[in-house]
Amino acid sequence: MSDTRERSVVVCGEGLVDLVPVGENFSPKLGGGPFNVAIALGRLGSDVGFVSRLSTDAFGDRMIDSLAASNVDTTGVERGPEPTTLAVVNLAADGGARYSFYLEGTADRQFALPKLPSARAFSFGTLSLVLEPGASAYEAMLHEAHARGRLTMVDPNIRPAVIADPNAYRRRFRSWLPSVDILKVSDDDAQWLGSVDGTEWLDEGVGAVLLTRGGDGLRLITNELDVSVPAPTVDVADTIGAGDTVHGALLAYLDRHDALDAAVVRGFSESDWTAALIFAARAAAVTVSRPGADPPWSRELGLLS
């Protein structure tokens, strides 16, 4: 990153293109978990940078333009001639999404370890923590950010189709936990990783486990607290990007309340977490009300930018 000033949040990970079914055809939508998190943060007013490797193809150009339009700094983005990763989305009747991927030799997995940028918080997740050689570079950034006392948040966002050795991945996942302040997982992710609700991960160093439960809302667990909030009632177009919006909105809330600090977050009260979760759930409700990963802007939540 050539811009050396300290940002609020740096989001590290892939950008890709979701091929979303529209009638009998597919429509390309920009996405990828980290990309969506960065978009959500930028639209909600945070000073956010994106660290990734994107293709120099037309999709990569569109991602750069979309990040910039959502107020995300892209000076930390590498560019390369490799193609953009494609994710084919299959939608269930309730709007739930399943994915298959075209990712051999694609740009995002060729990410190389940069100098750690200056930020108060770092976000990681999804395919970028699976596909080598980039996964090892992102993993090293996670551990370095934690060692420097920066707030860290991880969403493994499990995609079983791309995990060749599930047991090896589960062991690797456990190795990250001492470096994670906030771990976000869906109910399905937690079960795939061998847990009911992630409480045992707190014993391995995680500060808080945030569970996304679809229409049942959000639940956050620490060693002292167990806080839940309901999901707002909304007509669901699809769930693409819902969890990513929760991730980004939570960090944006912490930023707005000068709480992008590991010690501050680990000292949050029940009322602190309840307010943060309500904000994140409201943001996600906007995303699921429209097709594709399209996080809300501050004005849509009644906020000043």
Side-chain angles (χ1 to χ4, degrees):
M1 240 181 195
S2 59
D3 184 350
T4 58
R5 67 188 178 88
E6 183 175 67
R7 300 195 176 280
S8 295
V9 184
V10 165
V11 180
C12 308
E14 80 279 356
L16 52 76
V17 170
D18 290 322
L19 298 178
V20 181
V22 178
E24 296 182 354
N25 299 307
F26 286 89
S27 175
K29 304 288 186 183
L30 305 183
F35 177 90
N36 297 336
V37 171
I39 293 287
L41 276 156
R43 291 182 178 184
L44 293 174
S46 287
D47 183 3
V48 57
F50 189 53
V51 171
S52 184
R53 181 179 177 87
L54 299 179
S55 177
T56 52
D57 64 16
F59 285 137
D61 290 344
R62 283 183 58 192
M63 280 188 269
I64 290 290
D65 292 344
S66 181
L67 289 161
S70 293
N71 305 315
V72 179
D73 179 79
T74 59
T75 57
V77 175
E78 304 170 4
R79 302 296 301 275
E82 308 88 1
T84 294
T85 296
L86 301 179
V88 179
V89 182
N90 296 293
L91 294 177
D94 63 357
R98 293 182 180 275
Y99 301 84
S100 56
F101 297 91
Y102 294 87
L103 42 74
E104 188 64 34
T106 52
D108 51 272
R109 67 186 303 174
Q110 307 304 320
F111 174 76
L113 182 64
K115 178 180 178 182
L116 192 75
S118 181
R120 297 171 64 198
F122 288 81
S123 164
F124 301 86
T126 319
L127 299 181
S128 60
L129 292 173
V130 177
L131 302 174
E132 296 289 8
S136 291
Y138 287 115
E139 183 178 78
M141 289 184 71
L142 167 64
H143 292 308
E144 182 179 357
H146 176 77
R148 293 191 180 191
R150 302 309 188 188
L151 179 74
T152 57
M153 184 167 177
V154 171
D155 177 5
N157 206 3
I158 300 299
R159 301 289 184 246
V162 303
I163 299 176
D165 186 338
N167 288 330
Y169 178 88
R170 292 180 183 111
R171 289 192 295 271
R172 190 172 193 174
F173 165 78
R174 298 293 280 262
S175 77
W176 304 331
L177 300 182
S179 295
V180 179
D181 294 304
I182 304 172
L183 176 68
K184 181 209 152 294
V185 289
S186 68
D187 280 344
D188 288 343
D189 290 343
Q191 292 172 14
W192 191 92
L193 289 164
S195 177
V196 175
D197 57 15
T199 52
E200 67 269 34
W201 300 330
L202 299 171
D203 295 334
E204 299 188 46
V206 175
V209 176
L210 172 57
L211 290 157
T212 56
R213 303 181 296 169
D216 292 327
L218 305 177
R219 179 186 178 196
L220 184 132
I221 307 167
T222 72
N223 281 321
E224 294 81 26
L225 302 170
D226 191 336
V227 183
S228 295
V229 302
T233 301
V234 63
D235 291 332
V236 176
D238 62 50
T239 62
I240 300 171
D244 304 327
T245 300
V246 169
H247 187 147
L250 179 63
L251 289 172
Y253 179 93
L254 298 178
D255 187 17
R256 284 177 173 270
H257 291 80
D258 196 27
L260 287 175
D261 179 275
V264 170
V265 167
R266 287 172 183 255
F268 258 25
S269 68
E270 181 174 356
S271 61
D272 292 329
W273 279 122
T274 299
L277 296 182
I278 289 172
F279 179 81
R282 287 179 56 213
V286 175
T287 298
V288 302
S289 72
R290 50 203 189 196
D294 187 5
W297 295 82
S298 294
R299 61 182 177 272
E300 294 180 276
L301 300 181
L303 303 172
L304 297 176
S305 298

